Amino acid sequence: MWRAQHTPLGPATVHVRVEADARTVHARAWGDGAEWSIAHADDLVGASDDPHAFQPSDPMLRSLVARLPRLRLARTVAVYDIAVAAVIDQRVSGREARGTWNALVRRFGTPAPGPTTGRPPGLRLLPSPDVLAGLGDAARRTLGLEMRRGVALSSVAADARGLERAATLGADVLDRRLQSIAGVGVWTSATVRAYALGDTDALPLGDWHLPHEIGAALAGERRADDARMVELLEPYRPQRFRVVRLVLASGATLARRAPRAEIPDLLRKEATGRPFTVRRRLRFE
């Protein structure tokens, strides 16, 4: 795996290779954050996670654990990159979020440090916090970001150092710091804590598909909301996010029928001051 990332010590490119025995990890890194990246390479592959801490009594979950014995919760430890991605992913489809991310990195990012050969071509870093915090509304709109996500993105970038400090004090402190930022709510905070800190109990409320997936896997229900998902996952505290990962990774979810989904065009909605949707047929893999 090649990864260009921002660390508390500066930008870095890290290359991680896991041997076939799933026990040996080789890591190389370049840039100001190289030493930090090497020190946390084991976190990227989940070596710091303890999957044996989860011993469910439910037969279905026990079978999932048995089917996926190597599933671990990885963590980046650094917060900035994950927080930016989570803000971009708010309220839109995954395809739209990836398009915005790619445009942001191509237009305002910088080449990743390290060798130019032997790695994926065009590997680039996310724009630095100073650059991202300084983007105006007009520049953000060219990336597909309406005012709400654009302001949240700039605010997260402006507080990047504070978020990194909060992360060193634990998931609860990071949660409070994140949710103190305008435009950052429960879903974004949980997503950041799950993937940056490996928080085993982070639960992204407000997700479009997740309640249905959990309801189908744990109760055989075709439709579920956040309240029902919380109810079903309550017995598994403090491992609720691990249950979510097990369910999603196993494929033990509701069979989808490629529905005709209503996806909001947020820029058009903001411009007109009224709801506006674009009908698109989504094909699920």
Side-chain angles (χ1 to χ4, degrees):
M1 175 187 70
W2 287 89
R3 177 177 171 82
Q5 60 184 13
H6 289 275
T7 78
L9 298 183
T13 298
V14 59
H15 176 245
V16 177
R17 179 167 58 88
V18 181
E19 294 286 1
D21 62 6
R23 295 177 181 273
T24 307
V25 178
H26 302 277
R28 296 180 295 163
W30 301 262
D32 294 340
E35 185 176 352
W36 187 96
S37 297
I38 293 293
H40 293 283
D42 55 343
D43 293 303
L44 283 178
V45 297
S48 54
D49 181 40
D50 180 16
H52 302 295
F54 183 55
Q55 298 294 332
S57 58
D58 180 80
M60 191 277 290
L61 283 177
R62 283 207 310 270
S63 69
L64 290 186
V65 171
R67 285 171 51 195
L68 301 164
R70 292 183 177 179
L71 180 67
R72 291 174 178 266
L73 301 184
R75 60 184 183 180
T76 63
V77 183
V79 174
Y80 171 64
D81 293 6
I82 296 294
V84 169
V87 170
I88 289 174
D89 207 25
Q90 292 176 357
R91 306 167 66 210
V92 296
S93 69
R95 183 170 63 179
E96 289 170 304
R98 287 191 294 273
T100 295
W101 173 276
N102 290 336
L104 176 64
V105 172
R106 285 197 305 269
R107 195 172 306 169
F108 299 106
T110 56
T116 56
T117 60
R119 71 180 193 184
L123 187 65
R124 295 177 68 82
L125 275 164
L126 179 72
S128 69
D130 292 340
V131 170
L132 193 52
L135 290 183
D137 182 54
R140 296 193 302 256
R141 287 176 182 276
T142 64
L143 304 171
L145 291 166
E146 81 292 350
M147 180 67 75
R148 177 175 172 178
R149 285 186 300 153
V151 170
L153 199 67
S154 294
S155 300
V156 163
D159 195 33
R161 294 179 181 83
L163 292 173
E164 300 293 357
R165 289 194 300 269
T168 65
L169 301 177
D172 290 341
V173 176
L174 179 59
D175 179 39
R176 291 195 295 272
R177 183 96 183 199
L178 281 165
Q179 294 204 54
S180 70
I181 298 173
V184 174
V186 175
W187 183 89
T188 304
S189 174
T191 300
V192 173
R193 288 181 284 115
Y195 294 107
L197 299 186
D199 186 348
T200 61
D201 203 48
L203 186 58
L205 298 176
D207 192 87
W208 190 6
H209 294 299
L210 189 57
H212 306 316
E213 305 282 17
I214 297 300
L218 300 187
E221 300 173 0
R222 294 199 60 84
R223 303 290 294 176
D225 56 14
D226 275 348
R228 180 56 172 157
M229 179 174 68
V230 170
E231 179 184 357
L232 291 171
L233 292 174
E234 183 63 29
Y236 305 110
R237 286 179 181 268
Q239 298 283 337
R240 292 180 297 175
F241 183 67
R242 191 183 302 279
V243 174
V244 169
R245 288 289 293 115
L246 281 166
V247 168
L248 296 180
S250 69
T253 56
L254 186 66
R256 294 176 180 172
R257 301 178 178 178
R260 184 178 293 275
E262 294 280 358
I263 301 176
D265 183 329
L266 299 180
L267 284 173
R268 181 72 174 270
K269 177 180 177 180
E270 183 179 84
T272 60
R274 59 184 177 82
F276 182 90
T277 55
V278 178
R279 285 192 175 273
R280 299 177 184 169
R281 183 173 295 279
L282 300 183
R283 182 173 62 189
F284 296 101
E285 297 180 355

